[in-house]
Amino acid sequence: MFVGLNELLGETAEKPEAGKLTLLCAAKTDASFLVHHFLSFYLKGGCKVCFVAMVQSFSHYNFVAQKLGVSLAAAKEKGQLVFLEGLKASNSILFGDGQQSDEANPFQFISGDGSNLRALHDCIRAALIPGAGDSWGPPVLMVDDLGVLLSLDVRLTHILDFIHYCRVTINTQLKGNVVVMVRSSEDSEDEENERLAKSLQHQSHRILWAKGLATGFCKEVHGELTIIQRGSWETGAESDLLRVYQYKIQDKNVSFFARGMSAAVL
């Protein structure tokens, strides 16, 4: 049986969950399809989205979103999407000519010791607080990829503090959602990144972990996705629910199926 990610998660664009932290993990594979899915899912659901992009440009995300039936340019124009292009801002700060812009840069912490992410938090908060006449659904913060901040010399403790305050603002105060991508691998030599990933795993309500196949490349199976739904008193589940699927990435969608049920086997 081949199904989509919405069916696996039991969500609909008309009624997305609220107040949750979803962690997207990638191990030895490109799991950007998860980021594209959630971005298009929340925009289609009418949510106000603040997207902090540290990996790719706006044009890249917009190109993929158009294949999924969403225009990021149109969403920006009508105020539904606030796109913080961290990749571009970082390059400007690190390799620019040193001229100061009239507009405050929420990524200015990169030029310092990386300890003060308050400006970035305040920018996100201002973007997602409902304004007069706003009719958007629950606000959403998305970050791709949080681990990039470590590469920009931001300390792990400061990144975790930043996520904590974002969760207080968005999950608790605004009853919205936070979706964060990190790259992680059990045999990685990047200890700081692994500590970041493990800390986020403990905080998350839901984890989607994409991994490459241990057997190597396969035309019909591109990877394996583990979905962990944390048990809580709210849902009445005492233990975590763990499900494992294999997937194949196609031009405009991703199909999921039980292990051993790919076209290569059937």
Side-chain angles (χ1 to χ4, degrees), residues 138-180:
V140 178
L141 167 64
M142 293 188 60
V143 184
D144 179 22
D145 156 4
L146 195 63
V148 172
L149 293 178
L150 290 171
S151 303
L152 295 171
D153 290 332
V154 181
R155 294 182 181 178
L156 174 62
T157 53
H158 297 143
I159 297 175
L160 293 176
D161 285 344
F162 166 71
I163 287 296
H164 169 74
Y165 285 111
C166 286
R167 290 196 60 204
V168 169
T169 299
I170 300 163
N171 288 154
T172 305
Q173 296 177 357
L174 301 179
K175 305 302 179 185
N177 295 296
V178 177
V179 180
V180 175

Side-chain angles (χ1 to χ4, degrees), residues 1-2 221 224 244-246 257-266:
M1 180 178 180
F2 296 81
V221 183
E224 193 167 87
V244 181
Y245 301 91
Q246 292 181 333
F257 40 87
R259 284 184 287 189
M261 299 296 288
S262 71
V265 177
L266 299 178

Side-chain angles (χ1 to χ4, degrees), residues 7-48:
E7 288 81 2
L8 295 184
L9 300 177
E11 284 189 300
T12 63
E14 291 76 19
K15 193 176 181 180
E17 285 189 303
K20 305 296 184 182
L21 171 62
T22 297
L23 177 63
L24 312 178
C25 285
K28 298 181 179 179
T29 191
D30 178 11
S32 59
F33 69 91
L34 293 173
V35 175
H36 298 302
H37 164 81
F38 279 98
L39 180 58
S40 62
F41 172 76
Y42 284 120
L43 289 175
K44 288 178 180 178
C47 297
K48 179 71 175 287

Side-chain angles (χ1 to χ4, degrees), residues 80-135:
Q80 184 184 9
L81 172 66
V82 176
F83 193 92
L84 301 180
E85 200 160 352
L87 180 64
K88 182 178 180 180
S90 302
N91 287 336
S92 176
I93 293 171
L94 294 174
F95 308 109
D97 55 13
Q99 294 182 355
Q100 296 294 323
S101 171
D102 293 335
E103 185 179 352
N105 189 335
F107 298 94
Q108 198 61 48
F109 61 84
I110 296 170
S111 63
D113 61 2
S115 63
N116 189 0
L117 279 70
R118 181 171 180 174
L120 180 57
H121 166 268
D122 290 348
C123 182
I124 293 169
R125 184 175 185 274
L128 293 179
I129 286 183
D134 278 356
S135 57

